[in-house]
Amino acid sequence: MSSQWSDLNVMLSREFIIPSNRDIGAKISEENVDQRCTYLCGNSLGPLTKRSKALLQQELDVHFEHPYGREWMNIADTVTPLLAELVGASEKEVACMGTLTANLHLMMAAFYKPTTQRFKILCEGRAFPSDQYAFASQARVHGYDPNEAIIEMCPRQGEFTLRESDIMDLIAKEGPSIALVIFSGVQFYTGQLFPMKAITTAAKAQGCVCGWDLAHAIGNVPMALHDWDVDFAVWCSYKYLNSGPGGIGGLFVHKKWENSLLPQYAGWWGHDPATRFAMPPRFSAIPGAQGFQQSNPSVLATVSLLGSLQIFKEVGMMGPLRKRSLRLTSELEMRLMKSRFYVPINEVSAQCLLQDEMNGKDGTAQQGQPGFTIITPRNPDSRGSQLSLLFLPPNSDVMDRVFSALSAMGVVGDERKPDVIRLTPAPLYNTLGDCERAASCLEEAFEGLGLTKARL
């Protein structure tokens, strides 16, 4: 472990462009203003790699004849094998294309085939809004009321994450009426890692199609989509894959659908490459996931992703990265739990928090001293890199004040209004020192604002 840890620390210093405290506008001493900030926001936007920057510059200097062997016509071929390895699939099962929600619509158009008896969509409650919009619009396209067609699973009263047993029970109960089971691999808000294999198996046993939104899972946790018999999956690449804002997305379609499922919305890039430029009038789909391609991929977006994926490959992909991730997140969790402002999750009032936070209801600030809890599962097997901190009391200004203080001290997290800050020690570039500093700055943020220990 120590050798791997040292090697990855070297990779960090050599490969990633982490913003300085000056870059993010931190109000910090002059002697430290040009040091790298404590960047714990990779769950939202991964930092640029030096390699990606160099590859982008190369492409900007190219004029048709490619001196680096990355012909534009085949640019997606440079990343497809690496994406396939990350998600546990064959190359033919993966396509680098489009954007997350566009790919989700393409997959739902192909796989969501509701009938009078089987028309429901099962997802987690408070899924990412773009997913919610897509589910609702697909239901409407088929003539169904989203309120009747979509089953949103919410945690039990007083809890913040879903129990595996509850998911299995609901699939068993509602299975005959469910056309599609689609969850996030890792829930964007709570950071919960869903048991993808178990859910897929349970869904298939009931005759349901099973798909996954892997936006917060790819590059974060190991996966084996082919072996798990997942029907389809979609993802973006600008979070843990560090491809840059709005980076190119991807999708997975299981090999078993290769000869029986044709794209409903065909485009020329999904046509057989052997005759693509002959411009035939009739579409001939590439077998598998790549037949769903529509337009040629952005070369710049693809090489930006390539630079990051090359680093994943060089450090051994998700095996060693997951080990490092577990250590980093546990270190951050341990230090946060030592804070005098930390409130154990079982002491948090369900009435005070659950209704406002998990059901999204408006409310007024509750009485009580400020503090925070962690709503991400304690079990390392049930989470990725992210920890979601919920600030108390709910619907107060505590989160905003603490977030501003952290930013001023050079700690970059991600806020989810009204009460959550997400902190993510990503294993490719974060260190144990980042975890220590983030926890120390959080404590200082509370103390500097004159806040006393939380008592609910």
Side-chain angles (χ1 to χ4, degrees), residues 236-258:
C236 57
S237 64
Y238 48 83
K239 302 180 189 300
Y240 295 95
L241 297 189
N242 316 299
S243 70
I248 195 164
L251 59 81
F252 162 89
V253 177
H254 198 282
K255 181 178 174 59
K256 68 183 178 183
W257 295 103
E258 186 175 292

Side-chain angles (χ1 to χ4, degrees), residues 16 22 25 31 85 142 279 282 308 352 438:
F16 283 87
R22 188 189 301 276
E31 61 181 306
E85 190 171 351
H142 291 279
M279 311 294 181
R282 189 167 293 181
S308 177
C352 177

